[in-house]
Amino acid sequence: MKEFTHECHYTLYAFDELAEADRQLVLSAQEATKRSYAPYSHFHVGAAVRLTDGTIVLGSNQENAAFPSGLCAERTALFAAGAQHPEQSIVALAIAAADADGLTSIPTPPCGACRQVMLESETRAGSPMRILLYGTQGTYVIEGVKQLLPLTFDGSFLKE
Ligand code: THU
């Protein structure tokens, strides 16, 4: 018998401690929460991705009366970036969320399906994605999707 442990390493920063580029991406994610369509959950999520050339692409959750037909903010942003800028790689992703009380105090972690899509973007980019999870109490900074998704399934499992 052999036991394995995965650790998730992340750092908590006060907003003012973040580097300028990170602050800018977090502010973009905050702005994106205002574009969310969430009449059912009233939980407004915003995502902002930075591309290799510095372009920022926004996404927000888009809900639907047939619940599974909606999409999370992160995947909206990642797919929009892939569709509009296929020649660019995604280097960073920031997430923020707002509920009836305003921007949430606890940072919002991406759901499992979004983590899998983030992994695909990271694999495509060939380098770890910088992940910024914003809350008014602070921002978690995470270096690479594998911190959030151990035992990853990626394209290397699929035979050509
Ligand atoms: N949601 C996101 O957009 N991203 C997440 O990481 C968590 C959940 C959305 C989906 C749904 O519209 C609402 O938040 C409540 O689950």
Side-chain angles (χ1 to χ4, degrees):
M1 205 264 272
K2 211 170 176 187
E3 199 172 303
F4 302 93
T5 306
H6 285 282
E7 289 181 356
C8 171
H9 183 262
Y10 56 109
T11 316
L12 179 67
Y13 282 80
F15 183 77
D16 292 343
E17 292 175 329
L18 291 171
E20 171 59 25
D22 289 346
R23 276 206 300 271
Q24 189 194 12
L25 202 62
V26 163
L27 289 172
S28 298
Q30 290 178 15
E31 183 60 31
T33 65
K34 299 176 190 162
R35 306 180 187 189
S36 145
Y37 176 67
Y40 304 105
S41 71
H42 307 288
F43 190 67
H44 301 271
V45 186
V49 297
R50 187 186 302 107
L51 310 181
T52 18
D53 71 352
T55 301
I56 290 178
V57 178
L58 303 186
S60 53
N61 55 332
Q62 301 294 319
E63 296 186 350
N64 192 284
F67 286 4
S69 300
L71 196 64
C72 291
E74 298 87 328
R75 275 175 288 164
T76 303
L78 292 166
F79 291 152
Q84 292 169 32
H85 306 278
E87 73 294 347
Q88 297 286 323
S89 293
I90 290 163
V91 295
L93 165 71
I95 305 169
D99 57 21
D101 298 325
L103 288 166
T104 60
S105 111
I106 299 173
T108 302
C111 79
C114 288
R115 292 178 196 209
Q116 184 66 29
V117 173
M118 288 161 65
L119 176 71
E120 191 76 26
S121 301
E122 179 172 280
T123 307
R124 204 170 161 184
S127 57
M129 183 186 295
R130 187 168 177 82
I131 302 159
L132 307 163
L133 309 182
Y134 172 80
T136 58
Q137 67 177 32
T139 298
Y140 292 143
V141 178
I142 304 163
E143 288 295 345
V145 182
K146 285 177 183 164
Q147 295 295 329
L148 294 175
L149 194 64
L151 290 176
T152 50
F153 179 81
D154 63 18
S156 65
F157 287 87
L158 304 175
K159 296 208 167 53
E160 283 174 22

